[in-house]
Amino acid sequence: MDENATLIAKIKTLEAENDRLKRNQVEINQAKELYLKIFEDFPALIWRSGLDKKCNYFNKTWLDFTGRSFEQENGNGWAEGVHSEDFDFCLDTYVKAFDLREAFYMEYRLKNKAGEYRWIRDIGRPFYDLDNTFLGYIGSCYDITESKDNELKLEELNATKNKFLSILAHDLRTPFSTLISFSNLLLDERFGTNSAEINALLTKIQSVSIHSMAYLDDLLLWGRMISDGVILNKQHFQSTFPCHELLVEMEEPARSKNITLEFVEESPVELYADSYMFKTILRNLLNNALKFTRRNGHICLSVRKNDSFIEISVADNGVGMEQNMLDILWNFNTNITTEGTDQEVGTGFGLSICKQLVEKHQGKIWVKSEKNKGSEFTFQLPL
């Protein structure tokens, strides 16, 4: 009888222990479900990988971001969305950290459901079971595209600022040194009072001053453009008027080199553009043509309507360009300056400014050129 009571007591104890374990298991399962739900709805993109280094879990946020199913992302499928330029770095970082059981941090571009690449900050770390058994890695990812774009823009602006200061320090020393030298000659009593010599010096001072002012204007316009400080002020105007105005402006420098100017327009075309920017583009192209056209040369400015665009071309029979120059022609960072056929100098920014102003109008600009045969610059603006 006592043995039966003891046995029954043991059975009840076991049943009670079993009930307790079942309750614990239920609580554990509920906790797992709760944590899983938290992971699913967490605003970060969460992934997990096993001992084989392949991913075996992606939360809902991840799948919503990529627009792909778990089956598509499972294993190494997720890597299909990584930008090709970032893939090797991404894989190398992950594998090295995994082998060393170390946490890692990396940034890469991942394609979203709209097909756009977004910058992702991925933070991964090893995770372990309760008995400290290594189970794999878990990571959380955040979209940092806006901050990355701001960072890249800040770097670009900083580089531009350094270039700006470098140009000011280097390129403006020469004209100011020239002005100081000529001024000293005029002030020097030993120079004399010969009016022809004085007039020649004053003419040179005026020429250097005009060039320096144009240089500063180009620099300031460039600075405003790269900082998005140039605002379009569009208005309707006939293309004929600014073209004639600029050709009149170019008559004197053209006459000094005996260059003929020609204007060809099929019929007057009405533009809807910023007239100041339009004239800035055209003035730079005409100045460029005058600079690189030899004496007794020819320059033609033509305007023609092409579907919903207007095309303006400036063609010359000047020195032309080789392919290596054409490849870097529009790049601000090169700042190439070349002497003209009469040793004219330029700012090195003219064509780059033209390109940016044309693109501000949703237009495009291009050039055809052949060494010793001339160049034709054409820009196209929407009507």
Side-chain angles (χ1 to χ4, degrees):
M1 190 69 178
D2 291 339
E3 290 181 1
N4 288 337
T6 301
L7 183 59
I8 290 170
K10 286 182 178 180
I11 291 172
K12 286 182 178 180
T13 301
L14 290 172
E15 287 176 345
E17 180 64 19
N18 190 45
D19 288 340
R20 188 183 67 79
L21 291 173
K22 283 181 179 179
R23 285 196 302 272
N24 287 345
Q25 187 61 47
V26 168
E27 290 174 359
I28 290 171
N29 289 336
Q30 288 175 341
K32 286 181 177 178
E33 289 176 7
L34 176 62
Y35 282 118
L36 187 60
K37 180 171 177 53
I38 292 172
F39 280 166
E40 285 294 289
D41 297 332
F42 200 70
L45 286 67
I46 295 176
W47 56 269
R48 186 182 65 208
S49 62
L51 296 174
D52 58 0
K53 298 179 182 174
K54 295 181 179 179
C55 290
N56 51 35
Y57 171 77
F58 299 92
N59 71 341
K60 183 176 180 297
T61 308
W62 177 292
L63 299 177
D64 287 344
F65 176 87
T66 61
R68 287 159 58 96
S69 66
F70 171 76
E71 287 72 26
Q72 289 174 305
E73 299 289 82
N74 193 32
N76 294 324
W78 67 275
E80 295 172 6
V82 177
H83 196 287
S84 59
E85 293 178 5
D86 304 330
F87 180 81
D88 290 339
F89 159 77
C90 185
L91 182 64
D92 187 56
T93 301
Y94 172 68
V95 171
K96 283 183 178 177
F98 198 104
D99 291 339
L100 295 171
R101 306 287 192 266
E102 291 179 347
F104 67 81
Y105 163 97
M106 62 181 173
E107 294 176 0
Y108 56 89
R109 285 162 288 182
L110 185 68
K111 189 184 294 184
N112 66 9
K113 60 185 176 184
E116 302 168 341
Y117 282 103
R118 305 285 293 179
W119 278 102
I120 296 295
R121 176 176 293 148
D122 194 339
I123 304 168
R125 57 180 57 84
F127 75 97
Y128 300 84
D129 205 345
L130 294 175
D131 61 358
N132 210 34
T133 301
F134 175 67
L135 296 178
Y137 265 67
I138 188 166
S140 55
C141 305
Y142 302 87
D143 188 336
I144 58 165
T145 304
E146 274 100 30
S147 61
K148 191 74 175 178
D149 288 345
N150 289 335
E151 178 186 321
L152 294 174
K153 187 173 182 180
L154 186 61
E155 289 177 3
E156 182 181 344
L157 286 173
N158 192 50
T160 301
K161 178 206 69 175
N162 292 337
K163 180 176 175 62
F164 189 87
L165 293 174
S166 172
I167 291 166
L168 282 176
H170 180 269
D171 290 9
L172 285 181
R173 285 185 64 85
T174 300
F176 278 113
S177 296
T178 303
L179 290 173
I180 292 169
S181 297
F182 289 159
S183 300
N184 287 338
L185 282 174
L186 288 172
L187 292 170
D188 191 341
E189 294 179 357
R190 291 171 299 174
F191 183 71
T193 56
N194 186 301
S195 60
E197 292 179 337
I198 290 174
N199 285 336
L201 276 181
L202 288 173
T203 300
K204 289 179 181 178
I205 287 174
Q206 183 187 46
S207 175
V208 172
S209 299
I210 290 171
H211 168 70
S212 300
M213 182 62 73
Y215 186 85
L216 283 174
D217 285 342
D218 278 355
L219 272 178
L220 291 171
L221 181 58
W222 171 52
R224 286 169 58 207
M225 281 192 298
I226 59 176
S227 61
D228 295 326
V230 176
I231 300 173
L232 285 175
N233 180 24
K234 287 187 174 184
Q235 53 188 292
H236 293 277
F237 60 91
Q238 295 284 333
S239 60
T240 305
F241 301 120
C243 289
H244 274 304
E245 184 182 333
L246 286 169
L247 286 173
V248 171
E249 188 180 310
M250 300 294 157
E251 280 180 357
E252 185 54 39
R255 190 182 296 114
S256 69
K257 295 176 73 172
N258 199 31
I259 293 172
T260 57
L261 300 175
E262 181 185 5
F263 179 47
V264 178
E265 186 177 42
E266 296 172 357
S267 60
V269 179
E270 187 176 86
L271 273 169
Y272 183 59
D274 186 304
S275 60
Y276 170 76
M277 292 187 189
F278 179 80
K279 287 195 285 187
T280 300
I281 296 165
L282 206 49
R283 182 182 289 108
N284 269 298
L285 294 182
L286 286 168
N287 276 328
N288 202 60
L290 284 167
K291 178 180 173 182
F292 294 109
T293 299
R294 300 181 184 90
R295 290 182 173 276
N296 306 313
H298 177 259
I299 295 171
C300 179
L301 167 61
S302 61
V303 179
R304 55 187 174 273
K305 187 177 177 181
N306 182 12
D307 298 326
S308 58
F309 292 90
I310 179 175
E311 283 187 1
I312 301 96
S313 294
V314 176
D316 63 65
N317 60 352
V319 297
M321 290 173 284
E322 295 179 344
Q323 188 59 48
N324 63 337
M325 179 62 75
L326 293 173
D327 292 339
I328 60 173
L329 197 61
W330 310 104
N331 192 347
F332 260 122
N333 295 322
T334 54
N335 188 221
I336 299 293
T337 56
T338 308
E339 280 193 349
T341 55
D342 268 14
Q343 286 75 54
E344 304 99 325
V345 291
T347 65
F349 293 106
L351 293 177
S352 300
I353 288 172
C354 287
K355 183 174 186 293
Q356 291 216 2
L357 292 180
V358 168
E359 290 175 350
K360 260 196 174 299
H361 284 80
Q362 282 74 54
K364 59 182 180 178
I365 186 168
W366 63 92
V367 59
K368 296 177 183 176
S369 186
E370 191 173 344
K371 186 69 174 173
N372 295 320
K373 291 190 176 181
S375 303
E376 181 179 14
F377 286 85
T378 304
F379 65 99
Q380 188 182 74
L381 299 179
L383 285 172

